[in-house]
Amino acid sequence: MKKGVVNPWEVKGDVDYRKLMEEFGISPLKELPDVFNKEILFRRKIVFAHRDIQKILEAAKNKKKFVVMTGLMPTGKFHIGHMTVIKQLVFWQSIGAKLYIAVADLEAYNTRGQSLEEGRKIAIEEYVSNYLALGLKEKNCEIYFQSQRSKDAKKANAFYRLQNLLARYVTFNEFKAVYGEITPGKMLSSLLQGSDMLHPQLPEFEGTCPVLVPVGIDQDPHLRLARDISKRIKNPKFTQLSSTYNIFAPGLKGGKMSASDPLSYVSPTDSEKEVENKIKKYAFSGGQATIAEHRKKGGNPDIDVSFQYLKMFFEPDDEKLQQIYSAYKSGELLTSELKEILIEKITNFLKKHQQEKQKAKKQVDKFILK
Ligand code: TRP
């Protein structure tokens, strides 16, 4: 395995999840209550690890208040890799969570040099309408911009005040220990993300309550830092943050799907022709070099990107997925046939999704800036 890079600002190459879990002190996600099996991301262990999820499960079970909070950088196109987090949010909302979603426009400004105007435009046109099309409901859901937390000054002040409070409780050496290389812009982003994750518990928002942060494993340094800092603050008293970690959707050519590389992803705005072309041309295959060899030796679904997409997103039927897995492994199913199955599934999904997105566009305003 070639060594990848994984930190909150960059994910490149292969990700060794087991090693990172050990290094970061994250636990594997074991048995979950039955309702979780409705969502394939849980059923198929795409969400594979956690910290302190127990108190979230208890709150959900006892119908107590809990928040699920996450954020996305509005850079480039919304792509199917982003669906992992959004689909989790839709699920949590369905079992009673209050959702907070940060549009990380300030982070994109500080770490990617993207203007706030551009971030705003992309967020509204590309991201938020796709969230709604994926089933996010207006009730119990707040979407906000990091650069503009709320129209209500009391709330906005509390949010930015918290970012400053956090700074008082952390040293420069801790920053260096957690992140290695650090710049003033990155420091501000990580404290702002701290405020993103902790502010739901302020009296101006929900008050002290359990908060779950579903993220990719690259974001864990932010969680460790926020957990450490918040423990030191006596007033307000924070309930320790919980988190879950999902594996990254692989990019078409392998590695991580990245909004900055159009040939690495499939996007809801791709046309049918584009999807077909991208999958046929670029989707990394676990098949053999020739048909004869494939029939003889069989393919490897575990590294095949088309199979991974079926597993993560597009084939909800476990039995059918298993059949495809076995047929591919035995050599009975060819790479071209596997790709056809995927292309058809994605095409159907996109048709429905586009319609939902058109409807959603009119709703976007209702979700933001409360
Ligand atoms: N840093 C995250 C990313 O790069 C985005 C983000 C901003 C976030 N605030 C957050 C994630 C709060 C989780 C919780 O994608």
Side-chain angles (χ1 to χ4, degrees):
M1 204 188 250
K2 45 180 191 332
K3 210 167 162 295
V5 180
V6 180
N7 66 55
W9 331 103
E10 192 184 14
V11 180
K12 236 179 30 202
D14 291 322
V15 181
D16 187 342
Y17 291 103
R18 201 163 317 159
K19 186 164 147 263
L20 288 175
M21 278 170 72
E22 231 164 74
E23 209 174 285
F24 294 170
I26 301 170
S27 317
L29 195 54
K30 301 229 178 71
E31 203 59 19
L32 286 167
D34 236 6
V35 280
F36 283 78
N37 290 328
K38 279 199 275 187
E39 174 50 60
I40 62 177
L41 296 170
F42 290 109
R43 192 166 79 233
R44 296 187 183 156
K45 301 266 187 286
I46 309 302
V47 182
F48 68 97
H50 77 105
R51 263 213 186 91
D52 280 350
I53 197 178
Q54 211 48 44
K55 50 186 142 192
I56 300 294
L57 298 179
E58 262 158 44
K61 187 169 143 215
N62 299 322
K63 307 254 176 284
K64 291 253 170 63
K65 175 153 66 181
F66 70 105
V67 169
V68 174
M69 170 323 116
T70 194
L72 286 101
M73 267 207 263
T75 49
K77 279 229 156 116
F78 182 87
H79 57 63
I80 60 168
H82 295 118
M83 287 185 355
T84 46
V85 167
I86 303 303
K87 286 178 70 184
Q88 287 177 64
L89 295 180
V90 172
F91 173 81
W92 284 112
Q93 190 179 39
S94 80
I95 64 162
K98 166 125 203 205
L99 303 182
Y100 279 54
I101 307 174
V103 177
D105 61 342
L106 282 174
E107 181 181 349
Y109 175 77
N110 268 325
T111 66
R112 302 273 169 91
Q114 175 175 275
S115 75
L116 295 180
E117 292 75 22
E118 184 70 7
R120 185 165 203 93
K121 195 165 149 249
I122 295 179
I124 290 176
E125 285 171 15
E126 272 290 322
Y127 282 68
V128 178
S129 50
N130 279 306
Y131 302 171
L132 308 197
L134 289 169
L136 220 57
K137 302 276 184 297
E138 190 191 347
K139 188 163 176 263
N140 284 336
C141 176
E142 278 193 38
I143 301 176
Y144 67 91
F145 288 83
Q146 279 181 329
S147 68
Q148 204 171 11
R149 174 58 190 94
S150 176
K151 280 186 190 148
D152 179 347
K154 266 211 230 80
K155 288 184 155 192
N157 291 344
F159 174 69
Y160 298 110
R161 194 158 54 228
L162 178 58
Q163 183 189 13
N164 283 271
L165 284 185
L166 300 180
R168 267 263 322 257
Y169 293 86
V170 58
T171 65
F172 187 56
N173 280 338
E174 254 183 303
F175 267 110
K176 282 195 290 194
V178 173
Y179 298 102
E181 178 249 334
I182 188 90
T183 64
K186 286 179 179 172
M187 235 187 248
L188 281 173
S189 295
S190 79
L191 291 172
L192 189 57
Q193 184 153 338
S195 194
D196 282 333
M197 297 188 285
L198 290 163
H199 86 283
Q201 298 191 58
L202 294 174
E204 290 82 356
F205 293 87
E206 311 297 328
T208 305
C209 69
V211 177
L212 174 79
V213 185
V215 281
I217 201 162
D218 60 313
Q219 297 295 308
D220 194 57
H222 292 321
L223 272 147
R224 293 201 303 274
L225 192 74
R227 284 167 60 99
D228 284 349
I229 296 177
S230 68
K231 268 196 288 207
R232 298 170 193 150
I233 301 178
K234 295 285 170 295
N235 184 24
K237 191 103 201 86
F238 291 103
T239 299
Q240 187 56 288
L241 289 169
S242 305
S243 46
T244 55
Y245 304 86
N246 54 268
I247 59 169
F248 299 112
L252 282 165
K253 298 169 286 183
K256 183 187 170 230
M257 201 175 274
S258 158
S260 52
D261 175 9
L263 293 183
S264 80
Y265 61 70
V266 175
S267 153
T269 40
D270 285 344
S271 67
E272 279 179 34
K273 206 71 226 144
E274 272 170 311
V275 170
E276 185 180 341
N277 204 15
K278 279 187 183 179
I279 303 279
K280 283 194 174 154
K281 224 165 156 177
Y282 300 109
F284 180 80
S285 160
Q288 305 295 345
T290 64
I291 293 186
E293 206 182 325
H294 188 86
R295 294 271 188 237
K296 203 162 103 207
K297 294 188 186 153
N300 182 355
D302 295 316
I303 59 163
D304 189 283
V305 167
S306 302
F307 183 81
Q308 297 312 312
Y309 291 171
L310 287 173
K311 178 173 168 188
M312 291 180 83
F313 305 113
F314 299 111
E315 181 47 83
D317 185 327
D318 290 347
E319 224 167 279
K320 278 195 194 148
L321 188 76
Q322 185 55 43
Q323 276 165 9
I324 295 171
Y325 186 92
S326 310
Y328 195 59
K329 208 167 175 140
S330 73
E332 184 193 326
L333 189 71
L334 298 174
T335 296
S336 57
E337 292 165 336
L338 176 62
K339 288 190 172 188
E340 283 303 336
I341 297 175
L342 177 67
I343 290 165
E344 198 194 320
K345 287 269 172 190
I346 299 191
T347 311
N348 285 339
F349 163 79
L350 288 185
K351 264 197 205 120
K352 237 181 74 205
H353 186 83
Q354 305 292 12
Q355 285 169 2
E356 292 297 325
K357 198 174 159 201
Q358 283 311 320
K359 276 193 250 161
K361 275 196 174 148
K362 298 183 203 115
Q363 309 267 333
V364 168
D365 285 349
K366 283 200 231 156
F367 279 76
I368 27 190
L369 272 196
K370 290 186 188 166

